[in-house]
Amino acid sequence: MKKTDPLVFAATSDLAGITRGKAFPLSKLDSRMKKGVGWTPTNVMITCFDHIAPSPYGSLGDLLLVPDATTAVDLEFDDNAPVERFVLGDITDLAGTPWDLCTRSLLKAALDRLQQVGGVSLLGAFEHEFQFHGEVPPGPQGYSLNGFSQRRAFGETLMSGLEQGGLENDTFMKEYGTNQYEVTNGPSKGVRVADDAVILREVTRMTARHHGESITFTPIRDPAGVGNGVHIHMSFLDGDGAPATWDADGPSGMSALSASFVAGVLKYLDSIIALTAPSAVSYLRLTPHRWSAAYNNLGFRDREASVRICPVTSDDPEKIARQYNFEYRAADAAASPYLALAAIIHAGCQGIEDNLPAPTVTQEDLSLLSPSTLAAKGYVRLPQSLEEALERFEGNETVCGWFPKEFAPVYVAHKKGELSVIQDMDESERCAAYEGVY
Ligand code: GLU
Ligand code: MG
């Protein structure tokens, strides 16, 4: 008898930022690339707590989840366990039209808009922080060689897993928080930027499992502790593939295109944050003095800003142009990378379309300013709960208009369903609930 019949898992990263899908025999991969696997509309209402929020679709309808061969991941660990195989894909209707609630298709539409309004494509990467469960091992931890070395074996398996997953390895380090580590990968183009982020999260979880450990990317584990951020790095390439983000004479080095893009992101930040930091506990992280993001400001190398102009390591203009990038910091791993990036790209496109002027960079602690001074400078305190974030999202016609008509009501209904599960929990119970998921 043949020992096993390998299976491939075809996956979508859904509204809850969970990777869900179905497996089929590897031998059928070619035909499944064409015909997909069956998918059900109501699946989109399965919240992160695995309960179904009231669904507009009920038991009706059929969709296809069509794998994209370029995202296939084959992970062979050293422990005689079966090879982990998965592939990301798009959800379509039976005629092959992208489904209005397919997060990956929504990102593709946002990237098309960027090409149309800005004539540029995206080069970017997600940076992830996560924490191991269990006791803190002895010795110094934050950024230490000791803390790194205690997880070197994990880090090296992870690097090789990411490489097998088609990512370009960059860094692995002991972050500051309790049992907290950070992993970064090299930049990719277009939709692959978010594919990389989905693959990285799953490969990190699998690596932990194969090492007999468990990890969490949850936005925050303890209201008094450090958060796990997802920082999204972005730059632009023109039609010839040349960098288009930097201009030596632009304000803080921003090209006119990137200045308007960032201005759009800041203008709409309070209304898109429900898509980039979409859990109830995300808002415990997005508070001042946590090196996350609490206001809609642009910082020059400032880690308390929502959008940060990152440092460059050269004074050669060609190298600066290639390195210069922005980092969006008001995101976490409760968000599907596709949705978070789609929202940011649309906000930037709106800024380009409206020809918004360059935002000024802040170099002060905005939490010390009175609400009237803040307002006079054009800053808002970002929403402080998911409920508030959802209200701003739903209430902003421009923002809802960037997506297919069905998207906003379905997304909000999904999130309200999620909130109903935790409504009677206190902060630490909520943190524990999300930690159990992400
Ligand atoms: N842990 C911080 C966050 O929640 C980020 C720290 C850093 O700048 O890397 O985003
Ligand atoms: Mg970090």
Side-chain angles (χ1 to χ4, degrees):
M1 197 182 103
K2 201 156 61 150
K3 211 173 82 190
T4 57
D5 198 358
L7 292 168
V8 188
F9 188 88
T12 177
S13 166
D14 67 9
L15 296 191
I18 305 288
T19 311
R20 294 188 211 267
K22 288 182 175 179
F24 52 82
L26 181 60
S27 52
K28 302 276 168 57
L29 185 57
D30 281 347
S31 74
R32 291 291 181 187
M33 294 289 180
K34 291 182 204 109
K35 64 178 192 190
V37 289
W39 198 244
T40 309
T42 281
N43 288 358
V44 82
M45 301 312 277
I46 305 177
T47 71
C48 65
F49 300 122
D50 275 333
H51 98 296
I52 303 179
S55 168
Y57 310 108
S59 57
L60 301 177
D62 282 290
L63 299 164
L64 296 172
L65 171 51
V66 186
D68 175 345
T70 65
T71 65
V73 179
D74 270 28
L75 281 185
E76 207 166 342
F77 290 93
D78 258 356
D79 54 5
N80 291 325
V83 176
E84 300 271 15
R85 289 191 175 85
F86 64 96
V87 56
L88 307 176
D90 300 305
I91 304 176
T92 70
D93 64 16
L94 298 182
T97 309
W99 188 42
D100 286 355
L101 276 301
C102 167
T103 58
R104 194 164 184 261
S105 305
L106 292 171
L107 174 57
K108 287 179 180 173
L111 292 166
D112 287 348
R113 183 177 175 202
L114 179 64
Q115 191 61 251
Q116 272 161 27
V117 305
V120 291
S121 58
L122 177 76
L123 181 73
F126 283 54
E127 188 180 313
H128 286 88
E129 294 170 338
F130 63 93
Q131 288 167 290
F132 284 90
H133 289 117
E135 294 296 304
V136 180
Q141 292 294 317
Y143 305 103
S144 70
L145 174 58
N146 178 64
F148 165 74
S149 168
Q150 284 160 341
R151 303 291 186 187
R152 174 187 285 274
F154 172 92
E156 291 182 355
T157 311
L158 177 59
M159 292 294 109
S160 110
L162 293 177
E163 212 178 303
Q164 291 179 62
L167 277 70
E168 185 194 327
N169 280 332
D170 188 39
T171 66
F172 173 71
M173 62 170 226
K174 174 69 192 78
E175 246 290 357
Y176 170 71
T178 308
N179 276 342
Q180 189 183 39
Y181 287 74
E182 177 175 307
V183 54
T184 61
N185 58 274
S188 292
K189 291 179 188 160
V191 74
R192 180 73 208 193
V193 177
D195 290 337
D196 279 355
V198 179
I199 292 171
L200 180 140
R201 290 176 197 177
E202 296 309 332
V203 170
T204 308
R205 291 188 176 105
M206 286 171 179
T207 304
R209 255 197 324 271
H210 285 267
H211 275 253
E213 306 247 33
S214 77
I215 54 126
T216 177
F217 287 95
T218 195
I220 195 162
R221 287 171 87 182
D222 165 5
V226 165
N228 292 308
V230 168
H231 302 155
I232 306 176
H233 292 263
M234 292 168 290
S235 59
F236 308 115
L237 299 173
D238 69 15
D240 302 321
T245 327
W246 179 72
D247 179 343
D249 302 323
S252 307
M254 289 181 278
S255 65
L257 172 106
S258 39
S260 291
F261 183 96
V262 173
V265 174
L266 298 181
K267 177 170 173 186
Y268 294 102
L269 219 158
D270 66 329
S271 306
I272 63 168
I273 202 158
L275 303 176
T276 68
S279 77
V281 296
S282 298
Y283 298 86
L284 300 172
R285 168 179 165 255
L286 299 174
T287 49
H289 310 142
R290 273 179 186 283
W291 290 28
S292 61
Y295 302 90
N296 62 335
N297 62 317
L298 172 66
F300 186 70
R301 302 182 189 172
D302 175 1
R303 288 182 175 75
E304 283 265 308
S306 292
V307 180
R308 178 173 85 115
I309 299 176
C310 296
V312 291
T313 58
S314 173
D315 49 17
D316 169 359
E318 243 178 71
K319 288 192 180 138
I320 299 177
R322 262 188 282 125
Q323 291 181 2
Y324 189 87
N325 72 93
F326 303 101
E327 177 192 51
Y328 179 95
R329 298 175 65 85
D332 62 51
S336 163
Y338 300 118
L339 265 193
L341 194 52
I344 297 165
I345 297 289
H346 274 301
C349 287
Q350 195 66 46
I352 298 172
E353 270 183 14
D354 296 350
N355 209 8
L356 295 183
T360 47
V361 294
T362 52
Q363 292 190 304
E364 61 186 323
D365 182 351
L366 298 186
S367 71
L368 300 176
L369 304 183
S370 70
S372 58
T373 317
L374 263 183
K377 288 174 180 264
Y379 298 119
V380 296
R381 174 73 174 89
L382 296 175
Q384 293 177 56
S385 67
L386 179 57
E387 288 85 343
E388 198 189 334
L390 289 170
E391 260 169 46
R392 303 261 184 111
F393 169 62
E394 288 188 279
N396 194 321
E397 266 179 47
T398 307
V399 170
C400 294
W402 299 334
F403 299 94
K405 218 164 147 237
E406 210 165 293
F407 176 77
V410 170
Y411 184 76
V412 172
H414 174 120
K415 285 286 151 182
K416 286 191 172 158
E418 174 182 328
L419 283 167
S420 72
V421 176
I422 53 160
Q423 63 185 352
D424 297 326
M425 297 184 186
D426 66 21
E427 277 183 359
S428 10
E429 288 167 335
R430 287 175 169 213
C431 285
Y434 280 104
E435 182 178 335
V437 173
Y438 296 108

